[in-house]
Amino acid sequence: MTPEIREWQSGPGRVNYLGKRLGRDGIMGPSTRWAMYLETLEPWRQTAVRAMLTLRGLHEQGVNRGTVPDMVLDIAGAPMGSPWCAATYSWALWIAGLCQRNGFHPSASVVALRAQLRPVPFEQVQAGDFASLVHEDGKHGHGGMVIWPGVDWLASCDANISDEVDVIRYPMSRRQYHSPVLGGYAARPGEPPESIRLYSNGPTR
């Protein structure tokens, strides 16, 4: 425990990888290590990740409906009741200003969203990137925002996962990775903690 770490933890707006206020215990634990990692990234990544984490724990109110699903689907220009995982990632980029500056168009389609982004190799994945998979039909899929990139494991914040927004953990090999902006590599904070919800199955829809 050190006064310097405690002072840093007390900084404004600092949260952990679950979106909760960072504890002020003066210990360099996983939460503080992740928060320090986040602040080494480009401003758009920091803003998008923090925005995404504000939604954690929110549930649908009906099938693909509710205050948040309706909001993000409206921004994406998609019909109400559509799957909203990609639209939520789009919303976070919109909050970060990328739609205005980079010509990015919000989308509720995982396939259409990936077409606008650039593929990222495993070793360069950073918080704020899009972690997704496309189903065998080539038309539908699921995706979320990278929160904690490890070496073999990764944690992402996904919407429309079991009808809610949550941070989940799974092997990096299970998804493909894309980013609206390449570059800005930062040292990763190690493997995500095993306390993060393990998600081993495919998306429910």
Side-chain angles (χ1 to χ4, degrees):
M1 180 183 301
T2 67
E4 293 79 10
I5 294 177
R6 183 191 293 269
E7 181 178 359
W8 189 90
Q9 292 168 332
S10 300
R14 287 186 171 133
V15 297
N16 68 12
Y17 51 86
L18 297 178
K20 297 180 179 179
R21 182 69 176 88
L22 196 61
R24 303 169 190 176
D25 55 10
I27 298 173
M28 181 62 81
S31 291
T32 299
R33 191 169 72 252
W34 178 86
M36 288 184 170
Y37 154 75
L38 183 66
E39 294 197 7
T40 67
L41 302 178
E42 301 105 315
W44 76 264
R45 291 182 184 274
Q46 297 183 42
T47 300
V49 167
R50 290 189 178 108
M52 195 77 176
L53 288 173
T54 64
L55 304 182
R56 179 177 174 264
L58 296 177
H59 290 257
E60 293 179 354
Q61 299 156 343
V63 179
N64 293 332
R65 295 302 304 269
T67 302
V68 172
D70 290 358
M71 173 188 69
V72 299
L73 290 170
D74 181 61
I75 290 173
M80 296 296 105
S82 301
W84 50 289
C85 60
T88 308
Y89 180 86
S90 295
W91 167 83
L93 295 192
W94 181 76
I95 291 293
L98 290 195
C99 300
Q100 298 86 334
R101 295 197 306 267
N102 292 54
F104 172 81
H105 300 288
S107 177
S109 164
V110 170
V111 174
L113 181 58
R114 283 171 41 143
Q116 298 187 67
L117 306 178
R118 302 175 184 180
V120 180
F122 280 12
E123 65 273 11
Q124 296 179 18
V125 172
Q126 299 289 344
D129 289 341
F130 189 51
S132 64
L133 54 85
V134 174
H135 301 321
E136 292 181 358
D137 63 8
K139 299 179 180 179
H140 303 92
H142 179 78
M145 178 174 287
V146 174
I147 298 299
W148 187 315
V151 177
D152 298 314
W153 290 79
L154 176 138
S156 65
C157 188
D158 288 25
N160 205 20
I161 195 88
S162 302
D163 305 331
E164 64 176 331
V165 183
D166 201 5
V167 174
I168 56 175
R169 180 176 59 93
Y170 46 84
M172 286 197 70
S173 59
R174 295 203 171 214
R175 295 195 182 179
Q176 297 83 49
Y177 303 93
H178 296 76
S179 180
V181 181
L182 297 182
Y185 181 80
R188 297 179 183 180
E191 298 286 23
E194 293 184 3
S195 57
I196 295 176
R197 172 186 172 188
L198 178 63
Y199 195 76
S200 56
N201 299 322
T204 55
R205 62 172 182 272

